[in-house]
Amino acid sequence: MPITEPDQNAAFYVVLNAGSGHAETELRCSTIRDVLAEAGRTCHLHVVDDAAELGDTARRMAEEARRNGGVLVAAGGDGTINTVAHQAVLQGCVFGVLPQGTFNYFGRTHGIPEDLAEAVRALVTSTVQPVQVGMVNDRIFLVNASVGLYPALLEAREQDKRQYGRSRVVAILSALKTALGRHRPLRIALETEGQVRKLRTATLFVGNNRLQMEQVGMEPLTTAVEDGELAAIAPRRVGKLGMLGLLLRGALGRLGEAPNVVAFSFKRLTVKHARLSPRRTVKVATDGEVTRMPMPLEFRVLEGRLALLKPLKPGSQSERAAA
């Protein structure tokens, strides 16, 4: 499907995940409306207070954006961005992002400002660029997908954030607590390009984000993601001290030096149980959202399927022309 620039007067259909207190949500709404009004652009903004309604709201807004030649916009963290982007891919409409999460890997990778007012201004001047997405079964992911320990870590992190507040410190401490606790290893068979390898691991992590690969020190996989592949990382079974060592290496950006980590890139990967198992489904995390999926899992890359409004790089030809 060819990707075209939206009309210069195209309306913005914004899905905002409230997520915070009423006053902060109102401030975000007024900021979005005011900045777009100053630019002379139409804004249709829908606030989602109940996370269970996010998918349906994103679908309705995507349908409206497609019918009217508008731009679908997600305002929230990576999980919200994932849900809204899924509908943008299905409907074939242009997609914009206003990052409002803790880590904002997707927005930072594509040069989208984390300050809300600056991000809204960037929407008006950005150009459309095709972006690859990952898929696991029938769900897309923009940043990562995983099974095993990582989904458990995310569920524990959300509980801790509700109790202690949303911050990177809380997220890190929660991860340490979960990773060093008791958990059952996965026994899986990985099949890619006709080759099968059996693995016993705490978690299988599949990445689709250059920045995240850089931060943990997986440089070869960074290049692979840039070249249209997905990155798989799975630690071999280790004890608690070994797991702590892996976490420290990752935090220091040196995970690629660990001898007990399996890492490779791929375009398509099938994940099965390595032996008969009563479990027909498994918890899978996609961009921070945990759901159950039937086995086997089919991971694949879809190149250029998301039409993203991406800010111009300083000094680019398009920027000089606009000036």
Side-chain angles (χ1 to χ4, degrees), residues 2-8 10 69 71 94 123-130 307-310 312 318:
I3 292 177
T4 58
E5 294 285 341
D7 184 84
Q8 62 179 357
V71 177
V94 175
L123 284 179
V124 179
T125 59
S126 293
T127 59
V128 176
Q129 295 188 31
L308 177 67
L309 273 182
K310 194 169 176 177
L312 298 172
S318 299

Side-chain angles (χ1 to χ4, degrees), residues 312-321:
L312 298 172
K313 292 183 180 180
S316 68
Q317 184 175 355
S318 299
E319 186 180 64
R320 289 194 297 271

Side-chain angles (χ1 to χ4, degrees), residues 177-183 238-247:
K177 177 188 67 175
T178 306
L180 298 179
R182 295 183 62 184
H183 46 81
V238 295
K240 290 186 177 181
L241 286 179
M243 181 61 69
L244 180 59
L246 291 176
L247 291 173

Side-chain angles (χ1 to χ4, degrees), residues 90-146:
L90 290 177
Q91 297 295 329
C93 52
V94 175
F95 180 62
V97 170
L98 302 174
Q100 297 290 291
T102 303
F103 293 100
N104 296 323
Y105 281 118
F106 183 76
R108 288 160 58 202
T109 294
H110 295 290
I112 300 169
E114 292 188 79
D115 177 80
L116 181 57
E118 291 181 11
V120 179
R121 293 188 189 99
L123 284 179
V124 179
T125 59
S126 293
T127 59
V128 176
Q129 295 188 31
V131 172
Q132 80 174 29
V133 299
M135 285 207 74
V136 51
N137 290 4
D138 61 350
R139 289 182 67 92
I140 75 164
F141 57 96
L142 304 178
V143 180
N144 60 58
S146 57

Side-chain angles (χ1 to χ4, degrees), residues 34-288:
D34 290 348
V35 173
L36 289 178
E38 289 174 5
R41 303 294 289 272
T42 302
C43 172
H44 303 280
L45 191 152
H46 190 106
V47 178
V48 179
D49 294 304
D50 183 354
E53 299 176 359
L54 182 61
D56 287 339
T57 299
R59 177 182 52 78
R60 290 195 303 269
M61 294 287 275
E63 290 171 349
E64 288 187 44
R66 177 183 53 79
R67 283 196 303 268
N68 300 312
V71 177
L72 181 66
V73 179
D78 284 331
T80 298
I81 294 170
N82 172 294
T83 301
V84 183
H86 185 83
Q87 295 301 323
V89 171
L90 290 177
Q91 297 295 329
C93 52
V94 175
F95 180 62
V97 170
L98 302 174
Q100 297 290 291
T102 303
F103 293 100
N104 296 323
Y105 281 118
F106 183 76
R108 288 160 58 202
T109 294
H110 295 290
I112 300 169
E114 292 188 79
D115 177 80
L116 181 57
E118 291 181 11
V120 179
R121 293 188 189 99
L123 284 179
V124 179
T125 59
S126 293
T127 59
V128 176
Q129 295 188 31
V131 172
Q132 80 174 29
V133 299
M135 285 207 74
V136 51
N137 290 4
D138 61 350
R139 289 182 67 92
I140 75 164
F141 57 96
L142 304 178
V143 180
N144 60 58
S146 57
V147 294
L149 177 61
Y150 197 70
L153 182 154
L154 292 174
E155 289 182 322
R157 187 179 75 184
E158 285 306 305
Q159 292 179 351
D160 289 337
K161 282 183 175 181
R162 283 193 292 270
Q163 184 173 357
Y164 302 110
R166 292 185 173 271
S167 72
R168 297 191 185 193
V169 172
V170 171
I172 291 170
L173 292 177
S174 178
L176 284 171
K177 177 188 67 175
T178 306
L180 298 179
R182 295 183 62 184
H183 46 81
R184 188 166 67 176
L186 295 169
R187 295 175 182 266
I188 52 178
L190 309 178
E191 180 178 351
T192 181
E193 297 183 354
Q195 297 193 354
V196 179
R197 74 173 86 188
K198 292 185 178 180
L199 186 65
R200 193 177 186 189
T201 180
T203 193
L204 171 66
F205 180 94
V206 177
N208 182 41
N209 184 270
R210 171 187 56 79
L211 178 61
Q212 196 169 50
M213 293 299 101
E214 286 178 354
Q215 285 191 341
V216 298
M218 303 298 291
E219 294 303 326
L221 295 184
T222 298
T223 303
V225 170
E226 290 284 291
D227 291 341
E229 295 188 302
L230 298 175
I233 303 173
R236 300 186 189 277
R237 194 181 182 194
V238 295
K240 290 186 177 181
L241 286 179
M243 181 61 69
L244 180 59
L246 291 176
L247 291 173
L248 288 174
R249 283 180 183 270
L252 295 173
R254 298 172 59 183
L255 187 61
E257 301 173 8
N260 48 4
V261 171
V262 174
F264 59 94
S265 60
F266 65 91
K267 286 187 177 291
R268 185 178 291 268
L269 174 71
T270 302
V271 180
K272 302 178 181 179
H273 288 301
R275 60 182 185 180
L276 293 178
S277 169
R279 292 186 295 173
R280 297 178 182 270
T281 63
V282 64
K283 285 185 178 181
V284 180
T286 50
D287 294 341

